[in-house]
Amino acid sequence: MKTVIIGGGAAGMTAALFAKENNNEVIILEKNEKLGKKLFITGKGRCNYANIAEFDKLIDSVVTNNKFMYSSFRAFSNTDAINFFEELGLKGKVERGGRVFPVSDKSSDVIKVLEKAIRSKGISVRLNTEVRELLVEDDKIKGVELRSGEVVTCDKCIVATGGMSYQSTGSTGDGYKWAKETGHRIEEICGGLTGLNTKEDYPKKMQGLSLKNVEVSIYNMGSEKVVFRDFGEMLFSHFGVTGPVILTASSYIGKKLKGGNMKLVIDFKPSLDREKLDHRLLRDIDDNPHRSYRNMLKTLLPEKAVDVFVERTGIKKDTKAGNLTRVQREKLVNELKHFELTVTGTRPVNEAIITKGGVSVKDLKPKTFESKRVNGLYFIGEVIDVDAITGGFNLQIAWSSAYAAGIDCR
């Protein structure tokens, strides 16, 4: 049995190891000059390769088509992934949110243990090798044709080419093209885990300001029904907002934004309700009634936000704190608890951490990731229409789908 794997990233390398367990002849075709190019930059170079979450949370972390992942997560869970890497020689450590990183904090160590295992098992790796098309006859995979014109025959083919994000790493959407050419449906491609553009320029005025412990809520325009709400860290940027809580939000609202703008509300003081916040303002005013309004804001907000709040509240910056009226205090409380921005869209897919959309799961078998349309052809990892929030969950999709397809190649 001969198995060809297109793509030497996280999913491709792992699938090769599991396919080899069935005594297959396994070949990895990688168009880059080295394996694991995108894996190298994952998690800002630290590679959050797993999460210790319970199974229910693992499933809930998948934003798109989580039910499709149920079988593969059961067959190769996050615990299995952690044990798999430990057996390969990678030592991990658990950080906030159950995230698992290499003890060394180096993504290169994840790649190294995979490469070492690939070499030790005698798996053939062909770098700088670009595939032009899949060769299918009578609804069965027969091989692949390379850009050079060479034909590589096979009994099984696993497509692990990634999505469209970080295109400099080789993720340029090749897998979508081949899937379409072989009769598979492609769900709309867009960025996932990405920043959000805003209509207003207030974020630009606060560019670089990072906020911790804020609550973010997103609504459809003209509606009070919450589409997304979470608590955590965020960052203001020249285009709008980003940071962990915003990246998560983008995966839930990205496609909804196609229908129009959405309302983003930031609560700068989620631990205080409006009444308690007003009491705090009154205490601050009593302690120093002659301080200017602008200087009073410095006790409530980071410096970069102060002038924006002066502008948003419409209160003159040199107004004495003791002269603030009840109505003016209410304006300030409202801005602190309900800082509203208009979200106009997500950042481009090439700026996104992951890709949403891809090969439709309706055309794949959930237990094996084999195509329902072409025998012996598999699609795994980011190329398929499955994505998750941050925290190691997207790599879990890669590991679990790689296991499912790899062990089925026999």
Side-chain angles (χ1 to χ4, degrees), residues 46-50 52 81-83 85-87 89-95 98-106 109-110 113:
R46 295 180 65 219
C47 193
N48 170 200
Y49 66 92
I52 61 168
I82 293 165
N83 292 339
F85 279 102
E86 197 169 292
E87 287 169 10
L90 182 72
K91 294 190 181 301
K93 60 178 178 178
V94 181
E95 296 190 2
R99 293 167 163 84
V100 183
F101 292 88
V103 168
S104 64
D105 282 329
K106 293 179 180 177
D109 284 353
V110 180
V113 297

Side-chain angles (χ1 to χ4, degrees), residues 315-370:
I315 302 169
K316 292 181 180 179
K317 63 182 180 180
D318 55 357
T319 301
K320 293 283 190 292
N323 291 336
L324 288 173
T325 67
R326 181 179 61 81
V327 171
Q328 287 175 320
R329 289 201 323 273
E330 284 177 355
K331 278 186 178 179
L332 176 55
V333 168
N334 189 61
E335 287 298 329
L336 288 166
K337 297 292 292 179
H338 195 92
F339 189 94
E340 189 174 314
L341 295 168
T342 306
V343 179
T344 58
T346 58
R347 298 300 292 163
V349 66
N350 62 323
E351 290 184 23
I353 294 175
I354 60 161
T355 308
K356 290 179 72 69
V359 180
S360 174
V361 297
K362 294 173 184 175
D363 290 340
L364 304 176
K365 301 172 185 176
K367 288 187 177 180
T368 64
F369 291 77
E370 184 181 15

Side-chain angles (χ1 to χ4, degrees), residues 119-135:
R119 285 195 303 271
S120 70
K121 289 180 181 291
I123 294 168
S124 174
V125 178
R126 294 181 60 175
L127 301 174
N128 300 302
T129 302
E130 195 169 348
V131 173
R132 178 156 51 202
E133 68 173 317
L134 307 181
L135 303 177

Side-chain angles (χ1 to χ4, degrees), residues 3-33:
T3 299
V4 164
I5 295 169
I6 311 175
M13 286 190 284
T14 312
L17 293 173
F18 289 121
K20 189 63 178 177
E21 287 184 6
N22 293 321
N23 296 315
N24 283 331
E25 178 189 352
V26 180
I27 303 170
I28 298 175
L29 304 177
E30 169 55 57
K31 72 177 181 180
N32 286 315
E33 73 286 357

